[in-house]
Amino acid sequence: WEHVQYGLDQLSPGDTLNIMAGEYNEKVVVSASGTANARITIRKYGNDEAVLDGTGAGNDVPMLHISSKDFITIDGLIIRDNEMLDAQGILVDGGSDGIIIQNCTLYNINYSINATTQPTETDNAQPIIVYGSLGNDAISELQILNNEIRNCWTGFSEALAVNGNVDGFVISGNLVKDIANIGIDVIGHEGTSPNPATDQARNGAVTDNTVFNCVSEYATAAGIYVDGGKDIVIERNRSY
């Protein structure tokens, strides 16, 4: 039980994985689904600092990957130091329903180890990214709540984004700061879903977030951006 991935591989519906204090140099994949009545919870233990650190952890781009898994809660983890082309902190994709990402801290999710490198449009990093990548199976009941994302060189990408076939989501209470491009983005029509009719994040709310110092020297940055999304409520945020 000294490795987070081993713990993840033991989970069944209704289980909770408590990760005790430590720095875990791992990139991990959630390998089981919960159910609506028996969620799987992956969380720090009590007040411990449970850290997933990408230093020397291999060439996979996401630090934590949820792919076509349902009713998973990620709670209170620190995810940091993933520095590589297309680096990701938490990736949710496929047809994952009922995912909650809350109370996590993500930083140093960078497209390069060299801050002076001028990025091109193919240089990207994404601390929290949700890709609805199945044409006829939307990601739904998604909640991204009360996380802190800071100090990330995202190239031409964003700190927190939902993209493609995502139908029903809440992004609320997050602190997003000191990002080298866009803070929060709701995206459509980039070909993430193979079905053009479902290729846009929709029916979502972006509320009560604080977003600041999202400044780019090479692109048109933004605090909160709807880039092809549909039917989005944005209210009670602070962006500066």
Side-chain angles (χ1 to χ4, degrees), residues 68 93-96 131-139 164-165 192-195 198:
S68 293
D93 63 7
S96 301
Y131 283 130
S133 54
L134 300 181
N136 298 310
D137 185 5
I139 290 175
N165 194 5
T192 300
S193 167
N195 180 354
T198 62

Side-chain angles (χ1 to χ4, degrees), residues 14-77:
D15 285 348
T16 295
L17 178 65
N18 292 298
I19 304 175
M20 298 186 74
E23 181 179 296
Y24 301 89
N25 295 111
E26 298 181 60
K27 296 181 176 181
V28 299
V29 178
V30 176
S31 51
S33 286
T35 69
N37 297 318
R39 301 185 65 85
I40 286 175
T41 298
I42 301 156
R43 68 185 184 188
K44 68 177 183 178
Y45 178 68
N47 293 321
D48 284 7
E49 285 198 354
V51 181
L52 288 178
D53 189 302
T55 306
N59 294 323
D60 292 338
V61 293
M63 291 294 299
L64 191 155
H65 191 183
I66 302 170
S67 184
S68 293
K69 299 295 184 291
D70 302 325
F71 300 105
I72 306 291
T73 297
I74 308 296
D75 189 359
L77 304 184

